[in-house]
Amino acid sequence: MSKTAFITGATSGFGLACARRFAADGWNLVLTGRREERLAAIQDELSAQCQVLTLTLDVTDAEAVKAAVDALPEPFAQVDVLLNNAGLALGTEAAQNCDLSEWQQMIDTNVGGLVTVTHALLPTLIKQGKGSSIINLGSIAGHWPYPGGNVYCGTKAFVEQFSYGLRCDLSGTGVRVTNLAPGLSESEFTLVRTGGNQDAYDNLYKGADPIQPEDVADTVFWLASLPPHLNVNQLELMPVSQAWSPFSIHREA
């Protein structure tokens, strides 16, 4: 019997690449997103390889998430892997210049959405037991702050600590939990952050050979395919071009 992966934010970037990777191995897929037309196109693309169920879903809507999970039909009801991928970054300004509504949207999605979907699927994952996995898409931003990261960094720090807390609580259930923290990555995610500024997007990645969505998908699939007795708690992934710089020092004139 094929295993089932539940992937949030599956309409672009990491989520779409992961859907394609799992489909290539014949997994059943439950794919969520807010863009119905994109979900329909993805279902058309992947349905020749596996069984696909798409859900037009806002992960911040707790009632809708619970209803969708409770109504999962066979063969999608037994979820083996939850990939909490839905998330966003908005704005690159210093905190004092930020739009509060953008901060709240990041908190609602990156924190609220992640915990809402996780809470809804925990009973199913625990029932599946040994070998089931929760893979949370964190970021190196959760560990290494940078100017303009403010609330985004905070939300990804939450993802890391939430993942560790889940590991403690799920001890003995067989459910694995991983915080996957990519570094500089090229995807539509950055266009959203810059408000569609293509020049800013191009300049960020120029000459850097950044992580690609397919790199993340291969890593996620590897995590999900490890022997059931192994858990990767935290996996930080950077392109070779990315490293740390000296601390910033402000000097008085």
Side-chain angles (χ1 to χ4, degrees), residues 159-174:
V159 174
E160 179 178 334
Q161 288 302 316
F162 181 63
S163 300
Y164 295 159
L166 283 174
R167 281 278 287 127
C168 296
D169 293 341
L170 294 172
S171 178
T173 67

Side-chain angles (χ1 to χ4, degrees), residues 167-187:
R167 281 278 287 127
C168 296
D169 293 341
L170 294 172
S171 178
T173 67
V175 181
R176 305 180 289 192
V177 186
T178 298
N179 179 53
L180 175 57
L184 183 67
S185 306
E186 184 174 12
S187 76

Side-chain angles (χ1 to χ4, degrees), residues 107-182:
I107 294 168
D108 290 346
T109 305
N110 300 357
V111 175
L114 182 141
V115 301
T116 296
V117 176
T118 301
H119 187 268
L121 279 167
L122 275 175
T124 298
L125 291 160
I126 292 171
K127 184 178 179 180
Q128 290 296 91
K130 196 170 184 180
S132 59
S133 301
I134 299 170
I135 301 172
N136 294 324
L137 248 299
S139 169
I140 64 167
H143 214 80
W144 310 108
Y146 59 89
N150 41 72
V151 167
Y152 177 71
C153 291
T155 64
K156 292 305 181 178
F158 174 88
V159 174
E160 179 178 334
Q161 288 302 316
F162 181 63
S163 300
Y164 295 159
L166 283 174
R167 281 278 287 127
C168 296
D169 293 341
L170 294 172
S171 178
T173 67
V175 181
R176 305 180 289 192
V177 186
T178 298
N179 179 53
L180 175 57

